[in-house]
Amino acid sequence: MDFSSFATDAKPRIETHLLSYIKSHSMLMKLQPWGVDMQQKLTNIVTQGKMIRGILVLLGYTLNGGSDTRAVPIASAIELFHTSLLIHDDIMDQDTLRRGMKTISALYQEHAATNNMVDPKRTGESLGICTGDLGFFLGYELLNTTEATPEIKQQLFKMISNELILVGLGQMQDVALGAGKTTPTEEEILNVYRYKTARYTFSLPLMLGALLGGAETKQLRSLEQAGEALGLIFQIKDDELGIFGDKKTTGKPIGSDIREGKKTLYRLYLESISDSQTRQKLSAIFGNKHLHETDIAYIQSLISEKGISDKITTHVKNLTADFHSACKELHLEDEQKKLLEDLYLTITKRNS
C-alpha cells in the first residue's frame, strides 16, 4: 500500500469518529443556544481539511505493527486541536474565509450584526475565541477515551501538551516577526517553521501513534527527527506555493504570501542580496494588499534571476538527507519503509 491509499482509507474513519463524538456530546446541550450552535459550526469545518495530522497518528501506529483502529481517538483529538488553532489563527490574521468557507468568527460576526448586537466584529471574534477554546477542551476529553495503560496515557498527554506549548510560542514569534520592522534572521524564521508547523504537523502525530503502538524511546526519537525534517520541507513548499502557486489548485490568490507580507526564507534571501534601490521596491511590494500582477511577476522573476530558488533547493536537499538518515535508524519492514518514502514524495510533489 502507498501513502495515498493509506490516507484515503484512514480519513473517513477519523471523520466518522470525530463527528459522532461532537454530535453526541451531552455537555453541549447544557446551555442553549450556544451548545447546539457551536456544535453545528464545529462539525461543518472540522473535517474540511486533509486531516494529515490525524492520518499520521494512524501511520505512526501502523509503523509499529498495530491495527490502527485503536489510535483513532488520538487521531480525532489532534484534528480537534488543529481546528481550534485555526479558529484562533483566523482571528489573529483577520481572515474571513477558510477552505472556501466563512470562518467561525465571520459567521458569529454575521450573527451579531443580524441580531443588532453591540460591536459585531468584536463580538464575532470573542465568540470565535470561545469556540476555539471549547475545541481544545473537547479534544483533551476525547484523547482520554484512548484505550491505553495509565502510564501510556500520561505520556500521550504530556507529549501533546508540550508540543502545543511550542506551537503557541511559535505563533507568538510569527506574530512578532510579522509586526516588527526589522529583518528577521534565518534562524528566527526557521524556528517559526519548526515550532509552529513542522513538529506539530509531523513529529507529534507520528510519535503519538508509535507510542501507543509500543515503540521504544530510540524509535520515537528517530520518528521525531524524521518528522521534523518532513515538516520543514512541508513549510518551505508552502512558501513556494504562496509565491508561485496556481489559485485553482492552492485555493489562494496567486502571490498570496507577497500580498500578506510574510517574512519567509524567500523574502529574506531576496532582500539580503539586493541593493538599496531594489530593497526599497521590495518593501513597497511586500504587504501591499492591492498588488498588481506585474508586481508579483517582478518578485517571481527576481527570485529566479538571483538564484534564490537554488538556495532553497539546497536547504531542501539537506533536510531530505536528515529525513533519510533518521529513517535508517527505524526498525521497519520494507512495506513500512515504502509508506514513509511515499509520504516524503507526497510532500515534495504537492501543488496545493
Side-chain angles (χ1 to χ4, degrees):
M1 179 185 291
D2 60 15
F3 178 74
S4 177
S5 300
F6 182 90
T8 299
D9 176 66
K11 188 172 185 282
R13 288 185 289 122
I14 301 170
E15 287 179 349
T16 300
H17 191 84
L18 189 48
L19 291 176
S20 174
Y21 171 75
I22 296 171
K23 289 177 179 178
S24 64
H25 202 291
S26 60
M27 290 304 293
L28 294 177
M29 303 299 109
K30 292 286 185 181
L31 185 61
Q32 300 308 332
W34 303 112
V36 171
D37 186 76
M38 174 268 185
Q39 188 182 58
Q40 291 171 343
K41 285 181 171 57
L42 198 59
T43 53
N44 284 341
I45 67 164
V46 74
T47 59
Q48 292 301 311
K50 297 175 182 175
M51 306 191 84
I52 182 66
R53 294 159 188 83
I55 291 167
L56 291 183
V57 170
L58 302 193
L59 178 62
Y61 192 64
T62 299
L63 292 178
N64 285 274
S67 167
D68 57 17
T69 302
R70 192 162 153 251
V72 169
I74 302 177
S76 302
I78 203 169
E79 286 299 329
L80 256 181
F81 294 140
H82 179 57
T83 299
S84 298
L85 288 169
L86 292 182
I87 291 170
H88 289 169
D89 200 46
D90 288 336
I91 294 168
M92 284 184 269
D93 291 344
Q94 300 185 61
D95 286 335
T96 58
L97 290 175
R98 164 74 63 177
R99 300 163 183 161
M101 300 169 61
K102 289 182 179 178
T103 62
I104 294 291
S105 56
L107 289 170
Y108 275 126
Q109 184 177 329
E110 285 185 356
H111 173 87
T114 301
N115 289 275
N116 200 31
M117 293 180 177
V118 175
D119 196 349
K121 184 175 186 298
R122 182 176 175 81
T123 300
E125 290 175 345
S126 297
L127 290 169
I129 290 170
C130 292
T131 303
D133 290 345
L134 283 165
F136 283 116
F137 307 150
L138 291 169
Y140 270 108
E141 188 181 65
L142 177 52
L143 180 65
N144 198 40
T145 65
T146 304
E147 294 180 11
T149 64
E151 292 76 18
I152 292 297
K153 273 193 178 181
Q154 185 178 37
Q155 291 180 63
L156 289 170
F157 272 82
K158 184 175 181 180
M159 192 179 286
I160 287 179
S161 297
N162 285 345
E163 286 301 330
L164 287 176
I165 288 170
L166 290 175
V167 172
L169 293 173
Q171 178 72 355
M172 292 178 75
Q173 172 91 316
D174 194 25
V175 170
L177 293 183
K181 296 183 178 179
T182 58
T183 301
T185 64
E186 180 180 87
E187 187 59 26
E188 285 175 326
I189 292 173
L190 286 173
N191 274 337
V192 171
Y193 291 1
R194 181 175 290 110
Y195 297 117
K196 181 182 173 181
T197 302
R199 291 180 55 84
Y200 151 72
T201 304
F202 290 89
S203 296
L204 175 61
L206 286 170
M207 291 169 70
L208 290 171
L211 176 60
L212 185 66
E216 307 226 346
T217 301
K218 185 178 179 182
Q219 187 90 333
L220 292 174
R221 294 289 80 82
S222 295
L223 278 173
E224 178 182 21
Q225 292 162 13
E228 186 171 312
L230 283 176
L232 288 169
I233 293 171
F234 179 90
Q235 185 57 55
I236 291 171
K237 184 68 176 180
D238 247 19
D239 292 346
E240 176 192 321
L241 294 172
I243 296 175
F244 295 98
D246 182 350
K247 181 180 179 180
K248 292 179 181 178
T249 53
T250 64
K252 295 181 179 180
I254 186 171
S256 58
D257 281 3
I258 301 171
R259 191 173 285 102
E260 293 172 22
K262 286 190 177 180
K263 291 177 179 176
T264 64
L265 288 179
Y266 278 95
R267 181 177 177 181
L268 173 67
Y269 295 155
L270 200 53
E271 291 178 345
S272 68
I273 61 172
S274 297
D275 56 35
S276 58
Q277 185 177 356
T278 304
R279 281 198 298 272
Q280 192 172 11
K281 186 172 182 179
L282 291 174
S283 180
I285 291 175
F286 279 100
N288 184 350
K289 303 294 184 183
H290 307 289
L291 277 185
H292 193 274
E293 286 185 6
T294 56
D295 294 321
I296 297 170
Y298 171 73
I299 296 293
Q300 291 173 335
S301 63
L302 207 58
I303 287 172
S304 298
E305 292 169 10
K306 299 288 187 179
I308 304 302
S309 294
D310 293 337
K311 193 166 184 177
I312 294 291
T313 298
T314 299
H315 243 306
V316 172
K317 284 182 178 178
N318 291 335
L319 289 168
T320 297
D322 291 342
F323 167 71
H324 285 123
S325 176
C327 286
K328 287 180 181 177
E329 298 300 316
L330 293 169
H331 301 292
L332 300 175
E333 302 293 334
D334 288 343
E335 189 65 24
Q336 295 171 325
K337 290 177 182 177
K338 184 177 183 299
L339 274 171
L340 272 181
E341 185 62 31
D342 280 342
L343 171 60
Y344 164 77
L345 292 175
T346 298
I347 292 167
T348 55
K349 293 182 178 181
R350 70 192 179 98
N351 58 8
S352 64

